[in-house]
């Protein structure tokens, strides 16, 4: 298992062909385009200046939309993942 | 449904032809021009350094003016939305 | 009505010809030149890290001097306004 | 009257010929050169993260030295003033 | 022994041939690629604004993934190490 | 007298020929070179976010080493001074 | 004596030929290379936003590894020293 640190999240990419199913279609424009993924692991959250740790808003299994150029790719036991900071996640698709 | 994270807001763009109705007309000048939208979902707000979460000032249904180049476009079940941070919202039109 | 968010303020520009009346004349120099305006609406103020909201120092009706290149123009019901952050306001003319 | 906002200060420039009188002579060098002025109005001070407002160290009537390229010029009832942030004031000349 | 300061961590690099064993294979793409290592020493953590020191999330013996271009190399008693800040560590491989 | 504001300090430069006496000789290298001075006045210190003012570590009469390119020159009653922020002072020579 | 201010530290460089003795050998690579030194004096530490001063982690006599391009050189009574911020110190060699 890969356990992300702090406010990081590990996601599996949701491929283009699955997008129709979830209802998200990314428009064709000059603006920054987001991408869709599924959360497979979340960190323990970032630490505030008062010493408190803030739990993440996303949790395992959530389908999310994130900024396209964010994150670091890793391949683990044959599957490709992306490690993101929660701040790069725009929304949860429910 | 798409649920924005933190201090993010999801809006539907208000098209140019509707602008006359709402009374907002964007002037023709060299300054940055704002755009009008309608809030369809709001995040839970950002977390302060004391651990408190600040609720957003805008809420579902508000007509807002926002910075033109802000946000990320998404298309969900056939409708185009924009995901913004509350800080990119200038004012509420009442 | 347009209600500005956070520490934003909506002003009406005070035109050049009115400046003689109010006593403010902007000098001819290489330095950044301020402009004069009248406050028509103020936001609820910014939120501090302790969760407290700081009320703005300016209020409706104040004549103010602000940084020339600040703000975003909007036209609402035939009148042009400028949406500024309070930090771009230099002084109140009394 | 012009009332500066926050940690801003309004000063009258002290002209070159007066400098001999006050004892300040600005040297001829490649370093940034300060300028002398007299405080005519002070703001209420900036707000700290704990909500407290910090009174300015300078007060009306102080002769001050400030960074040459700081501030915004205004002319009010025939006199030229400069609006500075307190942080651009280097020292008080007593 | 080398004792890292603050939120720093000392790691031994895990070589490419060991990667198959641990299951991590780094994909071939244009994105930033992480690297794998084993923690050999951790600092006492960074100090928060309230004076509290935050213990690190990683501990001696952890296998970690970190940003490829992070850190400073040192050779000590014949072994090469890398000194990283905890923030450059993306995840723990368990 | 010149009274520096905040965390500022006014110093008299210690000339090159005096350096032998105090024992400080600045080496000939490509690194940034510090300079020596004598503190003639100190500010009241900077204000922390909790409203507390932090007294300066240096005091009148201290011989100090400071970053060469720091500060603003002033000439007052025939003597040249330099106004520095305490942060530009590296050490006290005792 | 030279007393560093705040979170600064004064060190003596440990020359290349001594490095074999201490066991640290710096590898030949494109990455940033650290250097070794011995702490001869430490400051009183930096002040946190709550007014507390944080004592340094290093103390007189510690052998340390620091970022190569950090610090300011001074020569005092015939010996060359380097004044660093504690943040430029990577680790203590024990």
């Amino acid at each position: 298992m890969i356990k992300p640190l702090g406010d990081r999240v590990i996601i599996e990419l949701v491929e283009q062909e699955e997008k129709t199913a979830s209802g998200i279609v990314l428009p064709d424009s000059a603006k920054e385009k987001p991408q869709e993924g599924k959360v497979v692991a979340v960190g323990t959250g970032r630490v505030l200046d008062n010493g408190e740790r803030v739990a993440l808003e996303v949790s395992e299994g959530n389908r999310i939309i994130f900024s396209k150029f964010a994150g670091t790719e890793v391949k683990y036991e044959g599957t490709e993942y992306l490690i993101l900071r929660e701040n790069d996640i725009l929304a949860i698709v429910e």
Side-chain angles (χ1 to χ4, degrees), chain A:
Chain A
M1 226 198 74
I2 316 178
K3 195 182 108 186
L5 288 199
D7 61 347
R8 287 186 182 84
V9 167
I10 299 183
I11 65 165
E12 267 185 285
L13 285 180
V14 173
E15 297 301 330
Q16 299 285 4
E17 44 282 11
E18 296 184 34
K19 275 182 188 153
T20 316
S22 78
I24 294 286
V25 183
L26 300 172
D28 224 58
S29 83
K31 289 229 180 180
E32 181 201 351
K33 288 170 200 166
Q35 223 169 331
E36 199 178 344
K38 199 175 108 192
V39 176
V40 298
V42 299
T44 52
R46 69 184 171 97
V47 176
L48 297 178
D49 272 354
N50 67 358
E52 198 181 313
R53 204 173 269 274
V54 188
L56 277 76
E57 277 196 76
V58 297
S59 49
E60 214 190 299
N62 280 170
R63 280 177 92 90
I64 58 153
I65 305 173
F66 63 94
S67 303
K68 194 176 190 173
F69 301 109
T72 307
E73 298 176 351
V74 277
K75 192 181 253 182
Y76 179 68
E77 296 178 349
T79 313
E80 276 189 26
Y81 298 98
L82 204 60
I83 304 179
L84 296 172
R85 290 185 170 272
E86 193 186 38
N87 198 32
D88 292 319
I89 302 179
L90 302 170
I92 299 172
V93 183
E94 287 175 339

